[in-house]
Amino acid sequence: MTETVPSSPSAAVAVNLRVIPREQHTISRKNISSGALRVLYRLNEAGFSAFLVGGAVRDLLLGGRPKDFDVATNATPEDVKRLFRNCRLIGRRFRLAHVVFGNEIVEVATFRGSSDDGTGDRHVVDGRIVRDNVYGTIEEDAVRRDFTVNALYYDIADFSVRDYVGGYEDLMRRELRLIGDPVLRYREDPVRMLRAVRLAAKLEFTIAADARAPFDELGELLLQAPPARLFDESLKMFMAGSGLKSFRALDASGLLADVYPLTARALAIRSGATFRAMIEQGMANTDARVAEGKPVTPAFLFAILLWGPVRAQVEKELARGTDMNLAWIRIGNLVMNEQSKHVAIPRRFALAIEEIWSLQPRFENRQKKRVFRLLAHPRFRAAYDFLLLRTGESAETAALAEWWTQAQTLEHDDLAAQMNSMPAAPAVATEDASDAVAAAPKKRPRRRRKRPPGDAVQAPSE
Ligand code: ATP
Ligand code: MG
């Protein structure tokens, strides 16, 4: 049976139910969290329909481990609250129920009607709410979702998968296809373009041609997207274990310029190849830490992403004769403010980022007093890790990193003695370079691989 259901106030989508019975798909209850199963069963026993939905169904069908389990139901949030003592209701217009089991939270959402475009905005005309039928049918709930593979429902009543929009076939083909007209769906919510890039990178899916085609024309809508959402989406892209793949995909999609314009510009200049290598190394390191379950901080990643622009602008500022410390502080601030127009980087991270940057020139000063002061700096570790990522910039930077690596292995007195026997280091960082090589003790500085001459300029969309 085919019927047409509005996916949003502006679009209608044909739905055609296909049921994939239990024996024809690979979802096993073993792989569903105990909390999610309890919620599904209890709703069902109380006479409601209850489904696992969204990323969890998609990831289970792909054999992955979902990080969270979302439930969709025809029970209202108040019904859910009555059924579960461990439940709290959140959200104002579209209320959601959170059912809590120890440290697991199962999000339970009532089928959402077609007035909701997924952006969390009300439809208001002249201050009036024109549509507020927020709850809807399962069909409406399916078509307001973004990609067909994100609109599959696992039914606890008979363990089948329900597919209203052809998502199962797309999943088998490993393709991301938007539900409805891509241009309309991106205009409703431009962040869906970033979700396409991110999910394709993470799942190693292709983006359907008609979903990819509007990027060039509509990408600039991201310039006006809410900065708080772009921050959340950035964390999902870069801090969730597929940072390197996400970065490369974002860069290749051309959308990097609409979210991180300064970064995209710095990648296109002469030193862009070195900057790109640094970002990629930073992303790879972060992915490895995530894989090992180690903590990662967004500050470090944002410091990397914006390093190219900072460095280029500091050089200009210094050429203008600005005092070194002042130049670093001024440019760091300027770049953060500019980027914050697009991505709402919380203040506490911004301060850490600016500090990581402003500590970089201080590594070049090896006067004894300064060295010990820097080693004791609360942000030394992050700044040093950052310096390690910069070794591709020049042989001098590589030697500097090596010197500081070695300095940390020495006892205080040994390091002090070594510096006493060293020629006095000049205070001005840029004159420090030859000295850095000479002072790097014991080990010879590693030879940097020389880039072929034509390799230096690289367009951001390559
Ligand atoms: P991830 O694995 O990153 O969590 P996900 O698909 O589960 O991927 P969520 O942000 O957790 O992503 O969203 C859950 C579900 O909500 C999605 O699968 C999709 O059905 C729907 N959804 C999320 N964002 C949007 C959006 N911008 N527009 C329409 N539907 C959306
Ligand atoms: Mg999810």
Side-chain angles (χ1 to χ4, degrees), residues 54-55 58-59 67 70 144-146 150 189 192 195 198-199 202 229 236:
R58 179 197 70 211
D59 292 348
K67 55 179 172 12
D70 295 337
R144 63 100 190 157
R145 292 177 185 274
D146 48 7
N150 282 349
D189 180 10
R192 288 173 183 149
R195 287 180 53 86
R198 172 172 71 83
L199 289 172
K202 167 179 132 166
R229 286 193 69 205
K236 287 186 178 187

Side-chain angles (χ1 to χ4, degrees), residues 20-143:
I20 299 107
R22 179 191 196 172
E23 59 282 2
Q24 283 174 31
H25 66 70
T26 54
I27 297 182
S28 154
R29 269 165 294 161
K30 283 202 310 287
N31 300 323
I32 302 174
S33 74
S34 60
L37 282 175
R38 272 152 82 180
V39 170
L40 290 167
Y41 279 127
R42 190 164 320 163
L43 282 167
N44 205 237
E45 281 156 17
F48 298 106
S49 54
F51 303 89
L52 209 57
V53 67
V57 180
R58 179 197 70 211
D59 292 348
L60 284 170
L61 286 169
L62 293 169
R65 284 207 147 270
K67 55 179 172 12
D68 42 41
F69 291 89
D70 295 337
V71 169
T73 178
N74 61 353
T76 65
E78 290 70 27
D79 293 330
V80 180
K81 177 113 185 113
R82 265 192 301 277
L83 286 172
F84 298 93
R85 264 192 318 137
N86 47 334
C87 170
R88 46 169 202 258
L89 300 186
I90 60 154
R92 250 178 296 161
R93 183 176 74 112
F94 191 84
R95 307 189 82 192
L96 294 170
H98 277 179
V99 186
V100 185
F101 301 94
N103 50 20
E104 186 189 358
I105 297 176
V106 180
E107 190 170 290
V108 185
T110 307
F111 296 140
R112 210 179 275 203
S114 54
S115 71
D116 198 281
D117 63 6
T119 62
D121 293 333
R122 273 166 181 261
H123 292 278
V124 177
V125 172
D126 296 331
R128 281 178 306 116
I129 300 160
V130 290
R131 288 169 197 253
D132 212 8
N133 55 328
V134 289
Y135 300 134
T137 62
I138 188 169
E139 289 85 356
E140 286 177 305
D141 190 80
V143 299

Side-chain angles (χ1 to χ4, degrees), residues 359-374:
L359 286 174
Q360 295 308 305
R362 290 176 53 180
F363 284 111
E364 297 177 28
N365 189 329
R366 256 103 26 79
Q367 287 172 319
K368 193 162 72 183
K369 205 172 72 189
R370 304 278 184 147
V371 167
F372 285 115
R373 206 186 287 165
L374 187 51

Side-chain angles (χ1 to χ4, degrees), residues 75-384:
T76 65
E78 290 70 27
D79 293 330
V80 180
K81 177 113 185 113
R82 265 192 301 277
L83 286 172
F84 298 93
R85 264 192 318 137
N86 47 334
C87 170
R88 46 169 202 258
L89 300 186
I90 60 154
R92 250 178 296 161
R93 183 176 74 112
F94 191 84
R95 307 189 82 192
L96 294 170
H98 277 179
V99 186
V100 185
F101 301 94
N103 50 20
E104 186 189 358
I105 297 176
V106 180
E107 190 170 290
V108 185
T110 307
F111 296 140
R112 210 179 275 203
S114 54
S115 71
D116 198 281
D117 63 6
T119 62
D121 293 333
R122 273 166 181 261
H123 292 278
V124 177
V125 172
D126 296 331
R128 281 178 306 116
I129 300 160
V130 290
R131 288 169 197 253
D132 212 8
N133 55 328
V134 289
Y135 300 134
T137 62
I138 188 169
E139 289 85 356
E140 286 177 305
D141 190 80
V143 299
R144 63 100 190 157
R145 292 177 185 274
D146 48 7
F147 303 101
T148 61
V149 297
N150 282 349
L152 294 166
Y153 295 74
Y154 174 79
D155 189 348
I156 200 66
D158 61 3
F159 314 120
S160 66
V161 170
R162 287 167 165 251
D163 175 7
Y164 293 90
V165 288
Y168 194 75
E169 218 171 278
D170 289 336
L171 189 95
M172 296 298 128
R173 280 205 307 258
R174 306 184 76 86
E175 186 169 82
L176 284 178
R177 196 160 55 79
L178 272 169
I179 300 169
D181 175 35
V183 170
L184 287 177
R185 300 307 307 277
Y186 289 147
R187 285 196 185 281
E188 279 168 10
D189 180 10
V191 176
R192 288 173 183 149
M193 289 183 270
L194 290 184
R195 287 180 53 86
V197 169
R198 172 172 71 83
L199 289 172
K202 167 179 132 166
L203 304 170
E204 301 187 330
F205 275 31
T206 54
I207 302 174
D210 69 339
R212 172 66 183 77
F215 284 6
D216 290 345
E217 196 196 323
L218 301 183
E220 64 184 36
L221 294 176
L222 284 165
L223 294 169
Q224 260 74 53
R229 286 193 69 205
L230 294 183
F231 177 71
D232 289 344
E233 198 54 37
S234 293
L235 294 189
K236 287 186 178 187
M237 284 191 283
F238 304 135
M239 310 270 298
S242 320
L244 180 56
K245 284 194 277 186
S246 294
F247 171 75
R248 286 183 173 157
L250 185 65
D251 189 19
S253 72
L255 297 176
L256 184 69
D258 301 307
V259 187
Y260 293 93
L262 299 172
T263 305
R265 249 176 279 149
L267 285 170
I269 64 173
R270 208 171 51 84
S271 57
T274 310
F275 180 36
R276 183 185 310 274
M278 173 184 174
I279 296 177
E280 295 199 344
Q281 189 59 56
M283 294 289 174
N285 294 353
T286 304
D287 289 346
R289 287 185 68 90
V290 172
E292 291 167 35
K294 291 184 185 163
V296 284
T297 162
F300 196 72
L301 259 185
F302 288 114
I304 297 170
L305 277 173
L306 296 168
W307 173 244
V310 168
R311 197 162 174 262
Q313 290 191 48
V314 162
E315 264 166 39
K316 279 191 206 149
E317 191 76 20
L318 290 175
R320 239 180 260 144
T322 309
D323 165 77
M324 173 132 95
N325 285 328
L326 193 66
W328 280 93
I329 289 169
R330 188 183 285 168
I331 297 301
N333 221 269
L334 204 83
V335 167
M336 274 313 295
N337 287 346
E338 187 57 33
Q339 182 58 49
S340 297
K341 291 178 189 161
H342 303 278
V343 176
I345 299 169
R347 187 89 199 113
R348 65 180 188 287
F349 296 140
L351 291 172
I353 295 164
E354 289 177 37
E355 206 159 26
I356 289 172
W357 291 335
S358 64
L359 286 174
Q360 295 308 305
R362 290 176 53 180
F363 284 111
E364 297 177 28
N365 189 329
R366 256 103 26 79
Q367 287 172 319
K368 193 162 72 183
K369 205 172 72 189
R370 304 278 184 147
V371 167
F372 285 115
R373 206 186 287 165
L374 187 51
L375 282 168
H377 194 284
R379 200 81 70 189
F380 172 80
R381 188 71 217 176
Y384 164 75

